[in-house]
Amino acid sequence: MSIQPNVSNLKPPVIWMPKSIEKVIELKHQFGSNASFVSGATLLQLQWQNGHILPHHLLSLENIPTLKEMKMDVEKKHVSIGSMVTLAQCRFEPLFKKSLPILFEAVKTIAAPAVRNRATIGGNIMGGVGDLIPLLITLNAKLVISENRTIKTIELYEWVQRKEEFNQPLLIEILIPYEEMDGLSSVFYKKIGRRETFTAAIITVSGKIKWDPNGKIYNANLAIGGGDNNPALLQKTMGELIGKSMEDIDWKKVYASLLSEILPTEDVFVSGKYRKKAAANIIVAELQNSVGIYGTREEQVHEI
Ligand SMILES: Cc1cc2nc3c(=O)[nH]c(=O)nc-3n(C[C@H](O)[C@H](O)[C@H](O)COP(=O)(O)OP(=O)(O)OC[C@H]3O[C@@H](n4cnc5c(N)ncnc54)[C@H](O)[C@@H]3O)c2cc1C
């Protein structure tokens, strides 16, 4: 049920369309919490329809060309994506197809094409519940933000954990390390929804595994999020995998660990228990698929 806003409180907001990052930072400093950044407005529009109060000042990022840039830094080995890059661009930009094919795939699962033409990667992250967040966490993405007129770079996962402590920063760009996805690393992303497409996530899972040449896992990142679920790294389960080769992994223990540390939300349609089991099953299946190159896949622990 949508809550109708109190019409007597509705004063049209002032819309600002600055042309530079410096100007938008200045405006934010001037208006403080009376101003909100607006990228594609697809999430904001939903929130306003549900009764969220419109701020007095809307700072549109639409006219700032530098926020729409995508670059590959070969020396630093990262891709930098401006916060105003749309989800549609992530899907069609050849740079992503080549260097970050998983991002290219993941974006397909978000909303419908018309929404993706407006929706931005920055809005997906700063809205706090976007489906891309778990994937970007597993890829060790960093955020370049401006807070109180100071520009800094922080880990996305640090932002997710500490965002209440920040003073409404501007997200400028996202830095994603890239590497050759050879036989020694594997990455996955799955959005679990009530339908296959055009649906909100029940839960979204992602993972990245790296092996040494002897087939031992030396790095494992597993994350969940999507829908109303708080994005989280699954550190206990990651500990169950690191240092092990395929034969050493106790899949029942991995599954139990996932069930213990996935803490999803629940609503009238889908219970927390269902979300937890669905996520654990998908993660085990994806892990077994990815580690399968180093051994057999005899043991499967799937139950919902
Ligand atoms: C029909 C429909 C279906 C959708 N389906 C999905 C889905 O499947 N998965 C999903 O993840 N999302 C979905 N969404 C939500 C939304 O479209 C996406 O999350 C989108 O990426 C948000 O980007 P935006 O540019 O529209 O953000 P906006 O609505 O402009 O902003 C979202 C929030 O981020 C803040 N913000 C935006 N840019 C910045 C910045 N540069 N710096 C600081 N703060 C900023 C805004 O102030 C606001 O709080 C859907 C929306 C609609 C309308």
Side-chain angles (χ1 to χ4, degrees):
M1 189 181 75
S2 76
I3 305 157
Q4 293 304 313
N6 180 350
V7 182
S8 61
N9 288 342
L10 287 182
K11 223 168 90 186
V14 183
I15 301 171
W16 298 83
M17 304 201 73
K19 293 203 170 103
S20 69
I21 294 181
E22 293 73 24
K23 187 67 195 161
V24 77
I25 291 173
E26 235 7 84
L27 287 168
K28 181 66 182 152
H29 185 71
Q30 188 181 338
F31 300 126
S33 56
N34 286 327
S36 276
F37 299 115
V38 180
S39 290
T42 58
L43 183 62
L44 281 169
Q45 182 207 342
L46 287 179
Q47 292 173 342
W48 295 330
Q49 278 170 352
N50 284 326
H52 282 229
I53 295 169
L54 266 166
H56 293 313
H57 300 275
L58 297 179
L59 309 181
S60 167
L61 307 175
E62 185 89 44
N63 286 348
I64 307 179
T66 40
L67 295 181
K68 298 181 181 176
E69 288 174 0
M70 289 172 269
K71 283 178 275 182
M72 204 158 164
D73 190 325
V74 183
E75 225 164 75
K76 293 185 184 149
K77 285 207 150 206
H78 66 224
V79 174
S80 94
I81 309 176
S83 66
M84 276 297 288
V85 167
T86 64
L87 300 185
Q89 278 173 282
C90 293
R91 194 146 150 53
F92 294 111
E93 173 57 49
L95 176 74
F96 291 117
K97 234 176 158 172
K98 195 166 156 276
S99 56
L100 286 169
I102 189 75
L103 182 66
F104 167 84
E105 285 301 319
V107 163
K108 270 203 281 196
T109 70
I110 298 180
V115 176
R116 295 199 291 261
N117 284 337
R118 293 259 350 134
T120 64
I121 187 163
N124 200 273
I125 295 171
M126 299 310 268
V129 289
D131 281 318
L132 290 182
I133 296 175
L135 172 64
L136 294 172
I137 290 174
T138 56
L139 295 177
N140 296 318
K142 292 190 173 110
L143 307 182
V144 179
I145 57 170
S146 164
E147 186 194 28
N148 303 329
R149 296 200 275 188
T150 306
I151 294 187
K152 46 191 141 185
T153 303
I154 58 163
E155 298 280 343
L156 168 60
Y157 193 50
E158 184 188 346
W159 156 256
V160 162
Q161 289 175 299
R162 298 183 38 226
K163 62 175 183 278
E164 308 306 332
E165 297 168 32
F166 287 84
N167 185 19
Q168 300 182 313
L170 169 73
L171 174 60
I172 297 172
E173 61 179 338
I174 301 110
L175 308 178
I176 309 175
Y178 71 85
E179 56 201 278
E180 296 302 318
M181 292 309 285
D182 49 23
L184 296 176
S185 53
S186 166
V187 61
F188 65 86
Y189 164 91
K190 287 271 176 226
K191 171 174 168 179
I192 305 161
R194 279 192 282 152
R195 294 191 300 271
E196 197 171 337
T197 50
F198 306 154
T199 185
I202 287 175
I203 195 160
T204 302
V205 301
S206 180
K208 182 170 182 188
I209 307 292
K210 285 183 180 181
W211 298 271
D212 65 21
N214 301 318
K216 276 213 163 94
I217 294 174
Y218 73 89
N219 197 5
N221 268 355
L222 299 172
I224 57 149
D228 288 333
N229 302 290
N230 282 329
L233 262 179
L234 304 174
Q235 280 159 330
K236 193 172 140 205
T237 312
M238 283 150 53
E240 290 291 341
L241 300 171
I242 292 171
K244 300 202 175 133
S245 57
M246 175 64 179
E247 307 79 59
D248 301 332
I249 297 172
D250 181 339
W251 289 107
K252 290 207 168 83
K253 227 169 152 190
V254 168
Y255 189 71
S257 168
L258 286 167
L259 291 185
S260 73
E261 68 176 338
I262 295 174
L263 302 172
T265 51
E266 55 186 350
D267 56 37
V268 284
F269 301 111
V270 188
S271 71
K273 199 171 161 195
Y274 178 86
R275 286 171 206 250
K276 190 191 271 273
K277 284 194 166 183
N281 284 346
I282 299 272
I283 292 174
V284 168
E286 289 293 331
L287 286 173
Q288 289 183 339
N289 271 335
S290 49
V291 297
I293 58 170
Y294 281 111
T296 55
R297 294 167 50 205
E298 283 158 9
E299 212 174 347
Q300 303 252 350
V301 200
H302 286 195
E303 43 163 285
I304 285 201

